Amino acid sequence: MEMKTAKWVLVHVMMGLWVGFGAGCHRVSDVAEDTDIGATDAASDSDSDSDSDSDSDTDSDSDTDSDTDADSDTDSDGDVGRIDEPAVHRPKEKVCFDVHDPPAPPLTAEGDCRSHEDCMEGRNGKCVAVGYGMMYEWYYCTYDECGRDGDCGDNSVCHCGEFEAARCMSTGNCQVDADCGERGYCSPSMGNNCGGVMSVTGYFCHSQQDECADDKDCDAGEYCAFSEYDNFWKCEPVFNGCIIG
């Protein structure tokens, strides 16, 4: 009887150990499976984040390139057709009535007149010198030929200044800036320098072909003028000779 009881107890102990061992194995398998699933989920999340970051970087680079291209296009377009503004140009018609106002001749003046009062045969008569700046000066009367462009022929300019009587100019290719296109400039061009005085010969448009816009763009001994031969503004040598008569 005692022997049977001992065997029965031993059988129950062995069965308990087996059941416990099986349960333990099941729990280890569950943990391993959970770990694999966690690792898979983590890897998936990592790939998702990486793709998201990559897409974000790509979008950022695309935006940057787009902005850069836009800025480049804007800068490039901003320079297209640009012409430096000359110091002297004609945005609109100038009224020339009685603008010419030179100083009175000296008491030692010689010539056809000796004072402004001697010049009474036309409008705004003034007694001025030819050969100004040279050793010998001869005085003669000048009068205003016009007051507005309309007093001259078609496409002509009524030119005047403090030291120049109003006169019509048919030489040139413009009357005002608008004749030279958008952002264009119409400027008076001087003829050859004579004894320190240069006379305006006509009004001409500036263009991107120009070598100069003003005298300051030229070297010493040169001035900026429109060349009718080359058809653009360029630096010309100063001519100091002058023939009177």
Side-chain angles (χ1 to χ4, degrees):
M1 182 68 179
E2 291 179 356
M3 180 63 70
K4 289 182 178 181
T5 300
K7 287 182 178 181
W8 180 255
V9 171
L10 181 59
V11 169
H12 276 276
V13 169
M14 292 297 292
M15 289 180 66
L17 290 174
W18 177 257
V19 172
F21 178 77
C25 289
H26 178 72
R27 285 194 296 272
V28 170
S29 176
D30 289 345
V31 170
E33 183 177 354
D34 292 341
T35 301
D36 291 340
I37 292 174
T40 301
D41 292 341
S44 177
D45 292 342
S46 176
D47 291 341
S48 177
D49 292 341
S50 176
D51 292 341
S52 177
D53 292 340
S54 176
D55 292 341
S56 177
D57 292 339
T58 301
D59 292 340
S60 177
D61 292 340
S62 177
D63 292 342
T64 301
D65 292 341
S66 178
D67 292 342
T68 301
D69 292 341
D71 292 341
S72 177
D73 292 341
T74 299
D75 292 340
S76 176
D77 292 341
D79 290 335
V80 173
R82 179 183 176 185
I83 300 174
D84 291 337
E85 181 178 359
V88 179
H89 58 97
R90 205 170 192 243
K92 61 181 181 179
E93 178 185 0
K94 180 178 180 179
V95 178
C96 287
F97 293 115
D98 303 326
V99 172
H100 185 212
D101 189 23
L107 296 177
T108 56
E110 296 183 11
D112 297 333
C113 58
R114 293 190 176 186
S115 69
H116 295 326
E117 288 72 21
D118 293 337
C119 303
M120 305 299 292
E121 297 179 5
R123 178 161 184 159
N124 194 31
K126 302 294 180 183
C127 185
V128 299
V130 62
Y132 179 79
M134 301 185 68
M135 292 181 63
Y136 179 77
E137 296 176 341
W138 181 265
Y139 284 81
Y140 69 104
C141 291
T142 62
Y143 303 94
D144 287 345
E145 296 178 359
C146 56
R148 295 180 180 275
D149 294 349
D151 297 333
C152 305
D154 293 340
N155 301 318
S156 295
V157 172
C158 180
H159 172 78
C160 61
E162 182 180 356
F163 300 103
E164 292 183 81
R167 55 195 173 95
C168 293
M169 291 188 172
S170 58
T171 302
N173 57 20
C174 61
Q175 291 177 301
V176 293
D177 291 348
D179 296 332
C180 302
E182 185 178 1
R183 293 182 293 182
Y185 299 103
C186 178
S187 297
S189 178
M190 302 288 188
N192 284 332
N193 184 289
C194 178
V197 176
M198 291 186 292
S199 177
V200 172
T201 59
Y203 281 74
F204 300 89
C205 291
H206 286 270
S207 72
Q208 290 182 291
Q209 292 180 296
D210 294 349
E211 295 179 356
C212 59
D214 296 297
D215 292 349
K216 62 179 176 57
D217 299 326
C218 302
D219 295 332
E222 295 181 332
Y223 68 103
C224 186
F226 184 83
S227 170
E228 294 186 59
Y229 177 80
D230 296 308
N231 204 34
F232 59 80
W233 290 75
K234 61 186 293 187
C235 295
E236 300 280 10
V238 172
F239 177 65
N240 288 316
C242 188
I243 300 176
I244 306 300

